[in-house]
């Protein structure tokens, strides 16, 4: 049976199913002129009536039910039409929500074991930025004008902190100090490293998980926004020489218990007698608690530990991770970057804080053609010297504000104006954040009977004891996932269509059946009868 004969039989079947048979044509030519519309439209109405009588869709059988007057049919048409429009609107709202919020972050567990999470990096910075003895020793060794004493030159070294924007002075003083350094072939980063307190002098005892360690195997000198500091469990920099200086550790350390006896305990000596220049009006240390792969800055938890005190820092980690389905979305849709999706210039892994600090470095370099000594630098960019201080002070907001030029506005103003940040940084898809509770008091071991071996043979005067540990065995874990997968979309759409229209897979098959398969069966049955 070819398609032409089949088509003729379909037309013939449609004619026979019409309620009123047309008058027989006078000749064959007139029969061929019957328009397709005059045949198809009545057939379509008949098929639609049969579908409404047989379908499970809500209300359609009431529209074609015999015995109803026109008013009743009109009411049922309005009810079905209202349900249909409502279903379409809700489907559009559901799709819009899914498009505007492709991901959602939910609490996966509040009892996630802390031993699955890394212990935080601990960066300790002496509040004294310049050693008085070292500054005087260097000043005595430098060539200078005859009318300048070594003590006066040592006093001028305090201007080094102005590179960080802490204070301002006469520009002639900056130029004078710059000329002296140039004459002696010295640079600001070199001298700041020389004047900073070395890690070997800061630490008197180090205890890790109940075992006493040599402090130089646990801590190493690192750069931070506070200058040169000493870091434990830090793996942020791309340079890998620290692996030999971290006690053989190649990844962040972990602990399997809670309490200060199972964490990191330190005895720190601030050497108050050698204080010369501080940025805070006290003596002691600034402690940064941050992720092991993040640059040490004040985006992490920051605490001040005063000299002659004992401090307990109880840390509670909080982890957020992204599922495979969320990571399949493009970064703009999921609004985050994976730790290895964007290569950093200095830091080993991507994080939001690393991206912001490197962006600040790029921004200030574009303006002043140099980088301050306390910002990350892989050695390819020149360091700022005293002659660049004025430029740094004029553009301080570039590396102090996430949105330069908008820091003087209120939060509402910043959000309403939708000013894009020049950094284009996105949050991290995987991150571990650390909240810190601090308890501190003046240290007095006159009646203390704990940690006797730890304090043995140490004459306490200005030292500080610090204990950093996990406060609990469990923590909170968040999961970033797609708002709806294909199963969720199917359930959402199916629920709306089923509630308002009674639609299902079978009713969809009914619609297809009545306008395709049933027609073919009718043709076949007519052919068999003939």
């Amino acid at each position: 049976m070819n398609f032409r004969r089949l088509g003729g039989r379909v037309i013939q079947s449609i004619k026979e199913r019409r309620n009123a048979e047309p008058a027989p044509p006078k000749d064959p030519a007139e029969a061929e002129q019957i328009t397709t519309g005059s045949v198809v439209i009545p057939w379509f109405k008949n098929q639609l009536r049969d579908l409404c009588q047989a379908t499970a869709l809500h209300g359609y059988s009431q529209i074609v039910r015999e015995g109803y007057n026109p008013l009743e049919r009109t009411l049922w048409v309005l009810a079905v039409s209202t349900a249909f429009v409502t279903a379409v609107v809700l489907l559009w709202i559901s799709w819009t929500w899914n498009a505007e919020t492709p991901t959602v972050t939910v609490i996966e567990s509040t009892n996630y074991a802390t031993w699955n999470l890394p212990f935080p990096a601990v960066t300790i910075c002496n509040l004294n930025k310049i050693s008085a003895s070292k500054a005087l020793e260097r000043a005595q060794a430098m060539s200078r004008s005859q009318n300048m004493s070594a003590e006066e030159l040592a006093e001028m070294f305090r201007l080094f902190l102005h590179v960080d924007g802490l204070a301002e002075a006469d520009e002639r003083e900056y130029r004078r100090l710059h000329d002296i350094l140039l004459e002696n072939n010295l640079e600001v980063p070199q001298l700041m490293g020389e004047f900073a307190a070395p890690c070997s002098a800061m630490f008197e005892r180090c205890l890790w998980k109940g075992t006493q360690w040599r402090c130089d195997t646990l801590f190493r000198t690192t750069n931070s926004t506070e200058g040169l500091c000493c870091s434990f469990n830090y793996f942020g920099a791309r340079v890998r020489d620290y692996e030999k200086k971290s006690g053989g550790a190649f990844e962040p350390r972990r602990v399997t218990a809670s309490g200060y006896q199972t964490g990191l305990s330190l005895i720190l000596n601030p050497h108050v007698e050698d204080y010369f220049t501080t940025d805070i009006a006290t003596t002691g240390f600034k402690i940064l608690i941050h992720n092991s792969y993040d640059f040490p800055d004040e985006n992490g938890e920051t605490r001040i530990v005063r000299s002659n005190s004992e401090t307990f820092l109880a840390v509670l980690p909080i982890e957020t991770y992204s599922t495979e389905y969320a990571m399949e979305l493009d970064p703009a849709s999921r609004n985050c970057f994976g730790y290895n999706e964007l290569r950093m210039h200095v830091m080993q892994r991507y994080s939001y804080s690393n991206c912001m600090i490197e962006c600040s470095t790029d921004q200030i370099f574009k303006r002043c053609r140099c980088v301050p000594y306390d910002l990350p630098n892989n050695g390819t960019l020149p360091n700022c010297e005293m002659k660049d201080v004025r430029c740094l002070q004029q553009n301080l907001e570039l590396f102090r504000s996430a949105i330069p030029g908008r820091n003087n506005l209120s939060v509402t103003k910043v959000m309403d104006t939708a000013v894009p940040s020049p950094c284009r940084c996105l949050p991290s898809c995987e991150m571990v954040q650390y909240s810190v509770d601090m308890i501190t008091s003046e240290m007095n071991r006159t009646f203390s009977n704990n940690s006797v071996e730890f304090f043995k043979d140490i004459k306490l005067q200005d030292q500080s004891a610090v204990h950093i540990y996990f406060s609990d065995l469990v923590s909170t874990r968040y999961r970033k996932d797609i708002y709806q997968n294909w199963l969720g979309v199917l359930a959402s759409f199916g629920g709306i269509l089923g509630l308002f229209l009674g639609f299902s897979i079978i009713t969809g098959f009914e619609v297809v059946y009545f306008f395709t398969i049933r027609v073919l069966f009718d043709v076949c049955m007519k052919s068999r009868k003939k």
Side-chain angles (χ1 to χ4, degrees):
M1 180 183 301
N2 57 30
F3 288 103
R4 186 172 184 180
R5 295 176 60 188
L6 179 61
R9 293 185 179 182
V10 171
I11 297 298
Q12 184 64 27
S13 174
I14 292 174
K15 291 179 180 179
E16 293 176 357
R17 293 174 63 90
R18 296 175 60 188
N19 294 330
E21 294 291 337
K26 298 180 180 181
D27 53 59
E30 184 179 351
E32 294 295 333
Q33 296 178 357
I34 298 178
T35 62
T36 303
S38 63
V39 176
V40 173
I41 293 177
W43 166 82
F44 179 80
K45 291 180 179 180
N46 189 56
Q47 293 293 101
L48 188 60
R49 184 184 300 108
D50 291 346
L51 174 62
C52 292
Q53 291 174 347
T55 187
L57 292 171
H58 298 165
Y60 287 86
S61 61
Q62 303 294 332
I63 297 176
V64 297
R65 176 170 293 183
E66 296 182 0
Y68 280 8
N69 59 44
L71 180 59
E72 289 178 299
R73 297 182 191 277
T74 302
L75 290 177
W76 277 107
V77 169
L78 290 176
V80 170
S81 301
T82 302
F84 179 81
V85 172
T86 304
V88 171
V89 172
L90 291 179
L91 288 176
W92 180 80
I93 294 175
S94 177
W95 180 262
T96 302
W97 282 355
N98 190 38
E100 292 180 351
T101 313
T103 60
V104 62
T105 302
V106 298
I107 297 177
E108 180 178 275
S109 174
T110 56
N111 292 281
Y112 190 68
T114 54
W115 55 77
N116 293 320
L117 302 176
F119 197 79
V122 179
T123 299
I124 301 177
C125 308
N126 197 321
L127 294 181
N128 183 31
K129 303 299 182 181
I130 299 178
S131 167
S133 59
K134 291 182 179 180
L136 182 58
E137 181 181 353
R138 168 55 71 177
Q140 292 172 346
M142 292 174 59
S143 61
R144 57 189 185 279
S145 60
Q146 295 181 352
N147 59 350
M148 175 181 287
S149 65
E151 290 76 10
E152 291 175 340
L153 179 57
E155 287 290 332
M156 293 189 69
F157 289 155
R158 296 180 184 221
L159 298 177
F160 289 163
L161 271 66
H162 294 196
V163 176
D164 196 29
L166 294 178
E168 293 187 14
D170 192 339
E171 189 172 359
R172 290 175 296 180
E173 292 294 312
Y174 297 145
R175 177 60 64 176
R176 183 184 180 191
L177 181 57
H178 175 74
D179 294 338
I180 295 175
L181 296 181
L182 196 63
E183 180 183 353
N184 289 269
N185 197 25
L186 295 173
E187 297 180 347
V188 172
Q190 175 187 350
L191 291 179
M192 288 302 296
E194 181 180 325
F195 296 159
C199 297
S200 58
M202 278 203 307
F203 298 97
E204 295 196 359
R205 291 281 167 81
C206 297
L207 197 70
W208 168 242
K209 294 199 289 190
T211 303
Q212 189 167 320
W213 289 61
R214 286 181 51 184
C215 295
D216 58 355
T217 63
L218 296 179
F219 286 85
R220 69 183 185 91
T221 303
T222 56
N223 190 26
S224 72
T225 54
E226 299 297 322
L228 290 180
C229 302
C230 304
S231 294
F232 164 79
N233 208 32
Y234 175 64
F235 296 84
R238 187 174 294 278
V239 181
R240 303 303 295 268
D241 60 347
Y242 62 82
E243 295 176 350
K244 300 179 182 179
K245 303 178 182 179
S246 303
F250 292 90
E251 61 181 15
R253 296 174 174 86
R254 302 170 186 265
V255 294
T256 58
S258 60
Y260 79 93
Q261 299 92 341
T262 62
L264 179 68
S265 294
L266 308 168
I267 298 179
L268 306 174
N269 193 338
H271 297 284
V272 177
E273 71 283 355
D274 198 33
Y275 265 46
F276 187 66
T277 301
T278 66
D279 58 348
I280 296 178
T282 187
T283 59
F285 302 90
K286 182 176 289 188
I287 298 183
L288 310 177
I289 307 294
H290 56 96
N291 189 286
S292 296
Y293 294 100
D294 288 351
F295 185 80
D297 61 6
E298 293 193 356
N299 282 320
E301 294 283 339
T302 304
R303 297 293 185 270
I304 300 297
V305 175
R306 297 181 60 186
S307 58
N308 192 29
S309 67
E310 185 164 13
T311 303
F312 295 83
L313 299 177
V315 179
L316 185 63
I318 301 174
E319 184 191 30
T320 302
Y321 80 99
S322 299
T323 63
E324 294 182 2
Y325 294 110
M327 295 303 294
E328 290 176 356
L329 300 174
D330 63 275
S333 298
R334 63 174 183 260
N335 193 36
C336 68
F337 280 122
Y339 70 87
N340 58 353
E341 283 189 322
L342 198 64
R343 181 177 175 84
M344 311 301 294
H345 298 297
V346 181
M347 307 307 293
Q348 185 177 172
R349 291 188 177 185
Y350 175 88
S351 70
Y352 182 76
S353 61
N354 286 345
C355 179
M356 292 298 296
I357 197 70
E358 288 200 5
C359 176
S360 299
T361 301
D362 294 338
Q363 292 294 316
I364 200 66
F365 177 74
K366 290 178 181 178
R367 293 292 183 91
C368 300
R369 310 309 300 174
C370 65
V371 176
Y373 62 85
D374 59 351
L375 291 182
N377 191 347
N378 58 7
T380 61
L381 302 179
N383 291 298
C384 293
E385 300 297 334
M386 296 309 301
K387 63 180 179 62
D388 305 309
V389 171
R390 186 62 64 194
C391 178
L392 294 175
Q393 292 172 344
Q394 293 174 350
N395 296 278
L396 185 63
E397 192 180 7
L398 289 177
F399 58 98
R400 292 301 184 200
S401 173
I403 309 178
R406 297 286 172 172
N407 198 37
N408 57 339
L409 300 179
S410 66
V411 175
T412 305
K413 283 276 188 177
V414 171
M415 296 178 64
D416 290 345
T417 51
V419 179
S421 169
C423 300
R424 306 293 181 182
C425 296
L426 294 178
S428 303
C429 295
E430 309 94 359
M431 58 183 171
V432 180
Q433 298 170 298
Y434 300 93
S435 62
V436 179
D437 291 329
M438 178 176 173
I439 301 174
T440 185
S441 64
E442 183 180 353
M443 185 162 58
N444 185 349
R445 292 192 57 82
T446 304
F447 307 103
S448 178
N449 196 34
N450 72 320
S451 305
V452 176
E453 290 296 325
F454 187 53
F455 288 91
K456 185 178 180 179
D457 299 329
I458 294 181
K459 183 180 179 181
L460 296 178
Q461 184 175 359
D462 296 315
Q463 289 91 332
S464 301
V466 181
H467 308 278
I468 305 167
Y469 55 94
F470 277 162
S471 61
D472 202 343
L473 290 174
V474 296
S475 64
T476 302
R477 193 186 199 201
Y478 291 90
R479 182 181 71 249
K480 189 183 187 74
D481 205 348
I482 57 176
Y483 180 72
Q484 282 186 333
N485 55 17
W486 67 268
L487 188 60
V489 174
L490 180 63
S492 177
F493 283 23
I496 294 174
L497 293 175
L499 177 64
F500 287 92
L501 303 178
F503 184 83
S504 66
I505 299 298
I506 298 301
T507 54
F509 176 74
E510 283 181 342
V511 175
V512 176
Y513 168 78
F514 269 90
F515 290 98
T516 58
I517 301 176
R518 184 175 178 182
V519 175
L520 297 178
F521 272 105
D522 287 345
V523 172
C524 294
M525 293 300 295
K526 295 294 183 179
S527 300
R528 184 171 299 178
K529 289 181 179 180
K530 289 184 178 181

